[in-house]
Amino acid sequence: MKSALLLLPLLLAGCAAGGNRPAEFGAGPIDTERLSQITRTLASDAFEGRAPGTVGEAKTIAYLSEQFRQLGLEPAGDDGTFVQRVPLIRTQLERPGRAEIARGGDRIALRVPDDIYLSTVREVDRARIAAAPMVFVGYGVSAPERQWDDFKGVDLKGKVAVFLVNDPDFEAVAGDAVAGRFGGRAMTYYGRWSYKFEEAARRGAIAALVVHETDGAGYGWNTVQAPGGENYNIVLKPGAQQPVLLQGWIQRRVTEDLFRRAGLDFEAVKRQARTSAFKPIDLGARLDADFSVATSRVESHNVLAKVAGAKRPDETIWFAGHWDAYGIGAPDAEGRRVRPGALDDALGLAGVIEIARAFKAGPRPDRTLVFAAWTAEERGLLGAESYSANPKFPMAKAVANLTLDTLQPNGPARDVVLIGQGQNDLEDRLARAADGQGRTITADAKPERGLFYRADHFAFARKGVPTLLLMALGGGVDLVDGGRTAGDRWVSEFTANCYHQTCDSWSPDWDLRGAAQDISLLYTIGRELAFGSDWPAWKQGSEFAGIRQQSEAERR
């Protein structure tokens, strides 16, 4: 930390205030020049891609802490500082390793990562599985509130659970009894791989594999194998539920072959899995796997700052983004190795800082405002998850979490894309705020990707806190210059070429007026809540409504 602080004068030189020019296109108090300067600094090579536990982290948290300090915000971290410790473990499956399936007298060698992709989040030096029975569990959903149970009491202890991706009604057609039981094409949390791995662990499985299908996953096999066997987890408390030993994905073609050997037709079994009568199927096969694991502990940090409320300081409104990116990787065609995470999510953090600046320029709010920069989002939302397990403020009295993660740099838009439609009434406030800018709301064009469950706000949603996520990856906006066609083209090109890659870099050609519009929306919503006394609520049918209701008495 001390060495990073010595660098602050140099780092801040690229981040001087750009002046409060009149806002355009409904950007309110948000300054596009400052957004650009902050993003340029955080995404510079000096920050080395902002990977947790690296020199890049030390520079990043020092820079963010200083930004908050200069604005006059109060520290909200550990021991009167702006940082909260987040102990992590990092694991790396080492090669060569071995994975194969045995059925009868046949042994099917699995190529890693071409046929199967594996990692572990256990703090072990070896991940070895010997002849573990493989059980197909359909979509692997246990949802009593939806009258759905894929497990039917089958014992999974010591076994390998094989899951279908997404929800039971993802591929439902008209007339199927399951149609509309979950989210249809819109993924619920039951469709996320993280839920499936957690459910497998709760039931004692030794490993969990999700059958990869691009449509249901929302991304191709190249994204699955991109981490290269690396994974992270928070350091678990004594007695906590241990994750499965190995987790990952298996190619559909490999699964189809496995089913054929068991006398099963994969597509027919998939259709069966879309019914509530489905029961797990023993595939008559066993998995053998053996990998050495390089494990290390990483001391990472969240950055937390606040403006204390004047009347109800225990009630908090959160503005957040994540500071981490993917660090240094293999050189690209131009020899670049730093993966700078400019849009994902340096620009989001610039927005959080600008919102803080706007609030500090006005009267003190009634409720406390918290400004958070999370670590390890790219490693599984771990910084926010660690905070939710070790909160500095009561989660029951968190009014809302407003998150910025990957904003578009293509100028003003006529609409804003809503991620997670139908979850809570913050979206109604978003619609009103957008209307005030002369904009409309457009639903996420790819709800099957489950973006609502893939950003840091989700750690708060799991605790029952109403959340709102602004993310440009949910479909192209209707750009003033170029319309929806240009918006969609940018989303497609960015996700295919630059998402988590070296070319997610700052550009002087950006037009950040559209990003400023979106940031201003969260400022407007946050201001309404900060000087009000009402509580946003989950909508009927949301999987998080019941969690919030459990703490209702604490908000009376």
Side-chain angles (χ1 to χ4, degrees):
M1 173 69 82
K2 289 182 180 178
S3 61
L5 287 172
L6 294 175
L7 294 169
L8 282 172
L10 295 174
L11 300 177
L12 293 172
C15 194
N20 282 311
R21 289 170 298 284
E24 297 181 89
F25 292 96
I30 306 305
D31 187 291
T32 57
E33 183 62 27
R34 279 197 295 260
L35 291 176
S36 181
Q37 291 170 343
I38 294 169
T39 304
R40 182 180 187 179
T41 299
L42 286 170
S44 66
D45 283 354
F47 286 74
E48 301 183 3
R50 306 192 307 277
T54 66
V55 171
E57 164 164 357
K59 294 178 180 179
T60 301
I61 62 174
Y63 173 81
L64 293 171
S65 297
E66 182 63 11
Q67 287 289 299
F68 289 147
R69 187 193 66 77
Q70 288 187 357
L71 288 177
L73 273 59
E74 299 176 54
D78 296 334
D79 303 319
T81 71
F82 285 103
V83 298
Q84 178 191 36
R85 292 178 59 252
V86 181
L88 302 173
I89 62 166
R90 175 190 177 274
T91 64
Q92 174 72 54
L93 289 196
E94 296 186 327
R95 297 185 187 176
R98 179 178 60 85
E100 62 182 25
I101 294 173
R103 177 175 171 79
D106 296 332
R107 301 193 74 83
I108 308 162
L110 300 173
R111 296 170 302 160
V112 180
D114 299 319
D115 299 328
I116 191 172
Y117 176 80
L118 296 168
S119 68
T120 185
V121 290
R122 287 261 198 105
E123 197 170 9
V124 295
D125 57 16
R126 186 180 185 187
R128 183 173 183 271
I129 294 175
M134 302 181 71
V135 180
F136 176 68
V137 295
Y139 291 90
V141 172
S142 175
E145 78 283 5
R146 299 172 195 254
Q147 296 78 52
W148 197 272
D149 174 26
D150 281 327
F151 297 97
K152 307 296 192 297
V154 170
D155 184 8
L156 291 179
K157 291 179 181 176
K159 299 176 182 178
V160 179
V162 180
F163 296 82
L164 293 171
V165 70
N166 219 300
D167 292 307
D169 63 348
F170 174 67
E171 294 183 330
V173 297
D176 284 355
V178 71
R181 184 81 70 92
F182 291 83
R185 295 291 292 182
M187 183 185 288
T188 72
Y189 185 53
Y190 296 115
R192 286 285 289 151
W193 55 262
S194 52
Y195 165 79
K196 298 175 192 293
F197 294 162
E198 291 166 1
E199 191 65 36
R202 282 190 286 268
R203 294 173 182 273
I206 195 170
L209 297 173
V210 178
V211 180
H212 181 263
E213 297 182 272
T214 298
D215 193 28
Y219 42 80
W221 190 257
N222 61 325
T223 299
V224 167
Q225 63 176 318
E230 180 189 61
N231 216 326
Y232 286 78
N233 198 11
I234 58 175
V235 175
L236 298 175
K237 295 178 179 179
Q241 171 70 61
Q242 287 294 311
V244 294
L245 181 59
L246 285 172
Q247 61 188 46
W249 297 75
I250 186 169
Q251 291 271 31
R252 173 180 165 132
R253 56 177 170 74
V254 177
T255 310
E256 288 176 330
D257 178 64
L258 179 61
F259 274 55
R260 276 195 301 270
R261 292 169 185 262
L264 301 168
D265 177 84
F266 181 69
E267 278 298 326
V269 174
K270 275 185 69 177
R271 288 192 294 273
Q272 182 184 352
R274 295 201 294 268
T275 70
S276 58
F278 170 81
K279 295 180 180 179
I281 299 171
D282 188 332
L283 295 174
R286 295 177 180 270
L287 178 70
D288 286 292
D290 195 359
F291 293 87
S292 294
V293 183
T295 304
S296 58
R297 291 242 174 157
V298 176
E299 182 83 356
S300 195
H301 305 82
N302 295 322
V303 184
L304 302 171
K306 68 179 180 179
V307 175
K311 295 182 179 179
R312 295 181 298 283
D314 58 338
E315 299 175 7
T316 54
I317 299 156
W318 290 74
F319 301 90
H322 68 89
W323 64 253
D324 68 307
Y326 269 91
I328 297 174
D332 65 10
E334 299 177 17
R336 298 175 298 184
R337 298 185 61 212
V338 173
R339 294 173 286 187
L343 296 177
D344 181 18
D345 185 33
L347 179 55
L349 285 183
V352 171
I353 293 169
E354 272 297 280
I355 291 172
R357 187 189 306 275
F359 273 109
K360 284 297 292 182
R364 186 177 174 186
D366 296 343
R367 288 163 153 166
T368 294
L369 309 176
V370 186
F371 303 91
W374 307 118
T375 183
E377 188 270 355
E378 303 291 9
R379 277 73 182 174
L381 319 182
L382 298 180
E385 180 184 338
S386 178
Y387 175 84
S388 71
N390 303 278
K392 300 291 184 180
F393 304 90
M395 296 296 278
K397 291 192 175 183
V399 179
N401 176 294
L402 308 174
T403 289
L404 296 165
D405 191 346
T406 313
L407 303 176
Q408 61 89 8
N410 307 301
R414 299 181 181 92
D415 63 349
V416 58
V417 172
L418 173 62
I419 305 295
Q421 187 176 34
Q423 282 287 357
N424 61 65
D425 62 21
L426 286 172
E427 66 186 65
D428 303 325
R429 296 171 188 264
L430 178 67
R432 292 196 297 272
D435 184 65
Q437 294 182 347
R439 302 168 72 194
T440 58
I441 299 295
T442 297
D444 180 359
K446 297 286 186 181
E448 65 273 17
R449 293 178 178 174
L451 293 177
F452 183 82
Y453 309 97
R454 292 167 55 183
D456 289 305
H457 70 290
F458 182 56
F460 279 64
R462 294 181 72 175
K463 296 293 186 179
V465 180
T467 62
L468 183 65
L469 168 67
L470 292 188
M471 176 185 277
L473 305 182
V477 290
D478 182 8
L479 292 168
V480 171
D481 184 9
R484 182 98 47 212
T485 299
D488 284 337
R489 184 188 311 118
W490 175 80
V491 172
S492 296
E493 291 177 355
F494 178 79
T495 54
N497 302 319
C498 293
Y499 186 50
H500 298 165
Q501 304 302 318
T502 56
C503 56
D504 181 12
S505 56
W506 175 85
S507 171
D509 299 326
W510 283 352
D511 181 347
L512 295 180
R513 290 177 294 169
Q517 283 181 309
D518 288 350
I519 295 163
S520 183
L521 291 173
L522 294 196
Y523 169 73
T524 299
I525 295 168
R527 184 175 175 82
E528 180 182 278
L529 294 170
F531 290 94
S533 59
D534 55 336
W535 297 87
W538 295 97
K539 292 182 180 289
Q540 186 176 3
S542 169
E543 57 265 55
F544 307 108
I547 302 172
R548 189 64 160 178
Q549 289 170 0
Q550 293 172 14
S551 62
E552 186 67 31
E554 297 181 55
R555 291 184 293 280
R556 291 175 184 162

